[in-house]
Amino acid sequence: MPPLRTLILTIVAMLAFASNSLLCRMALKQTNIDAASFTSIRLISGALMLWLIVRLRGETIARTGSWFASLALIAYAACFAIAYVSLSAGTGALLLFGSVQITMISYGLWMGERLRWSQSMGLILALAGLIGLLLPGLTTPPLPSSLLMLCAGVSWGIYSLLGKGVANPTQVTASNFLRAIPFAIALSLFTYPQITLDLTGVGYAIAAGAIASGMGYAIWYHALPGLQVTQAAVVQLSVPMLAALVAIPLLQEPMTLRLGLAAIAVLGGIALVIRQRHTPQRSRQILSNASEFVKNQSRDRRFLTLSPPIRQRLVWSLWLMTWLGLLAGLISRQWYEGVVWFSAVHALLFIYLERFNLTAFPVQVRLAYVAWVAIGTYIPYMHWLMWITIVGLATNLFMGYCPLARLLSLLPLNRSEPLSFNLVSRVFLSPPMKGRFMP
């Protein structure tokens, strides 16, 4: 594909993606159409356009796509529209784009990918930007709408992951849009008492579905073969900024300092992650001898024994959910209580997995963690401990360096040599490793 044609198609596709946010915001702000009707009309018109494109190419939709992908699609579209009742176009696009990318990056980490130092810093920077956008203040976007847009981004991230590697993305997308129509109609019937239609709003919804979504995806899939993977990922960084810049004259929406700083943090952080994702990754370190491990283990049948790969993924997932709860606590401290209870359940699970051996190192770490977050949550003037926890858990999740585990390894029952300055320096200055420091 000629470079000039690829460039033109890419620019048109990015404008179409940004138009989705603008058209939705215009419809819900300037007309009387309700969010459910906008979603239904958008999906139906998008499905018809994609079906027409597939037919004009001489193809059939047949049995491509999946119902699960369609559920993710309707969840994205519904949350997207409802959130835009209160969010500005630029803020909504930033929250959407940031959560989509973070969802896909998190999935890669859960599957065994590991980030380099600069990529880890980029991910933390992007998350900090999203949190900074939601922290209380005069220019804070409404929290319920923000959470809905984050849910829309997670749903779209799941949808994108489900479609990864398909042979004919346009055909599969058309099938998924068609499958989503019954769900869209059901949504409209569920909200029937609140339905309000507006001719201009219907026009915006048709434009969002047929042009910005249907034609936009088709154009993007034509441009992709001419782009490198990294180029395709980085170019999408332009979408939130395009939406915010066009919304300033079109919708009279201000470009606040908070939004600008959050955009720099989120887009810059994601760019750091994406920039090196095309380089060879470290091996996933999933052991090929898992079945041999299970076979050779002498175990008590009253207890569940997990193979190393399953245990590794379980541990990472539990710590990730804990960390997300800590981040939510920056918005509302009530989340910290949830973190305490979740950490207690986490500790009980590992007490069971370690056959009620309270001196097992993984159990020690989790019991110490429960005590730490409980002190930070319930004792007055100790909330600053939670900031330390956020940073410490992030280093464990994304760099394999667990400060708490290293500290506990210095306890008499965990060390085999006298306590000394040399031992302390070796414990805290040694690079990330498996085992005691990554229980």
Side-chain angles (χ1 to χ4, degrees):
M1 184 179 293
L4 179 60
R5 184 185 179 191
T6 299
L7 177 63
I8 294 173
L9 290 176
T10 300
I11 293 173
V12 172
M14 293 306 102
L15 290 172
F17 292 162
S19 297
N20 262 322
S21 294
L22 295 167
L23 288 167
C24 185
R25 180 60 177 152
M26 289 167 63
L28 298 174
K29 180 182 179 181
Q30 299 177 351
T31 76
N32 293 322
I33 192 171
D34 63 286
S37 298
F38 181 92
T39 300
S40 299
I41 296 170
R42 178 191 175 195
L43 287 175
I44 293 171
S45 57
L48 292 175
M49 176 59 72
L50 286 165
W51 175 82
L52 179 61
I53 291 172
V54 170
R55 294 296 298 169
L56 290 175
R57 291 168 56 176
E59 301 171 350
T60 57
I61 293 177
R63 294 184 179 180
T64 58
S66 71
W67 287 107
F68 187 71
S70 299
L71 281 173
L73 179 61
I74 187 65
Y76 147 73
C79 291
F80 177 87
I82 297 171
Y84 263 131
V85 173
S86 304
L87 292 178
S88 66
T91 301
L94 180 61
L95 290 170
L96 176 73
F97 176 82
S99 55
V100 168
Q101 293 294 324
I102 289 172
T103 297
M104 299 181 72
I105 292 168
S106 298
Y107 175 78
L109 291 172
W110 186 79
M111 290 300 294
E113 294 182 13
R114 287 296 175 262
L115 302 181
R116 297 184 179 184
W117 173 266
S118 60
Q119 292 175 301
S120 299
M121 292 300 99
L123 182 56
I124 293 173
L125 180 63
L127 288 169
L130 288 178
I131 294 169
L133 185 63
L134 300 177
L135 285 176
L138 293 177
T139 58
T140 304
L143 183 59
S145 297
S146 299
L147 293 177
L148 277 173
M149 189 59 81
L150 292 175
C151 289
V154 171
S155 300
W156 186 253
I158 292 172
Y159 179 81
S160 301
L161 290 168
L162 291 172
K164 188 177 181 180
V166 298
N168 192 329
T170 304
Q171 189 181 51
V172 172
T173 302
S175 175
N176 288 332
F177 264 74
L178 287 172
R179 290 172 186 261
I181 290 177
F183 298 117
I185 294 174
L187 176 65
S188 293
L189 292 176
F190 181 76
T191 60
Y192 179 77
Q194 288 79 39
I195 286 180
T196 56
L197 294 177
D198 180 283
L199 185 59
T200 304
V202 170
Y204 286 148
I206 293 174
I211 301 174
S213 297
M215 293 183 64
Y217 296 145
I219 292 171
W220 176 236
Y221 294 140
H222 273 79
L224 277 176
L227 298 171
Q228 296 178 359
V229 175
T230 307
Q231 290 175 329
V234 172
V235 75
Q236 294 179 68
L237 296 172
S238 64
V239 174
M241 287 298 94
L242 283 172
L245 291 174
V246 175
I248 294 173
L250 192 64
L251 296 169
Q252 288 76 51
E253 294 181 353
M255 183 65 178
T256 64
L257 178 61
R258 180 189 288 241
L259 177 59
L261 293 176
I264 293 171
V266 173
L267 304 184
I270 292 174
L272 283 175
V273 178
I274 293 172
R275 185 172 61 89
Q276 296 182 359
R277 291 192 77 197
H278 66 288
T279 59
Q281 301 290 331
R282 282 190 242 165
S283 64
R284 295 187 175 182
Q285 302 190 9
I286 298 178
L287 304 179
S288 59
N289 60 345
S291 59
E292 192 68 24
F293 169 85
V294 176
K295 187 189 302 181
N296 295 334
Q297 282 290 315
S298 58
R299 54 182 165 170
D300 188 332
R301 293 187 180 274
R302 291 176 299 171
F303 297 98
L304 174 66
T305 299
L306 302 178
S307 63
I310 298 298
R311 182 177 175 119
Q312 183 183 20
R313 291 186 183 182
L314 173 65
V315 169
W316 195 88
S317 299
L318 290 173
W319 286 128
L320 176 64
M321 287 187 282
T322 304
W323 190 60
L324 293 175
L326 290 168
L327 294 179
L330 298 176
I331 301 171
S332 173
R333 289 185 177 179
Q334 292 180 345
W335 284 92
Y336 288 153
E337 294 188 18
V339 170
V340 174
W341 287 104
F342 183 81
S343 300
V345 173
H346 185 174
L348 289 173
L349 173 63
F350 270 79
I351 289 173
Y352 165 78
L353 291 175
E354 297 293 334
R355 285 125 170 93
F356 297 101
N357 178 10
L358 298 181
T359 61
F361 194 70
V363 173
Q364 291 181 44
V365 171
R366 283 152 182 85
L367 290 177
Y369 192 86
V370 172
W372 179 280
V373 294
I375 292 171
T377 300
Y378 296 114
I379 296 182
Y381 307 110
M382 297 298 288
H383 292 298
W384 55 271
L385 289 178
M386 308 306 274
W387 289 84
I388 297 176
T389 312
I390 291 172
V391 176
L393 191 50
T395 61
N396 186 22
L397 278 170
F398 305 116
M399 289 173 277
Y401 185 99
C402 181
L404 179 60
R406 290 172 183 256
L407 179 63
L408 292 177
S409 71
L410 296 175
L411 293 176
L413 73 160
N414 295 324
R415 55 183 166 86
S416 57
E417 62 179 279
L419 185 64
S420 64
F421 177 78
N422 181 51
L423 174 62
V424 173
S425 63
R426 280 191 284 115
V427 166
F428 285 99
L429 299 181
S430 60
M433 60 184 67
K434 281 186 177 182
R436 295 176 81 78
F437 302 137
M438 289 184 65

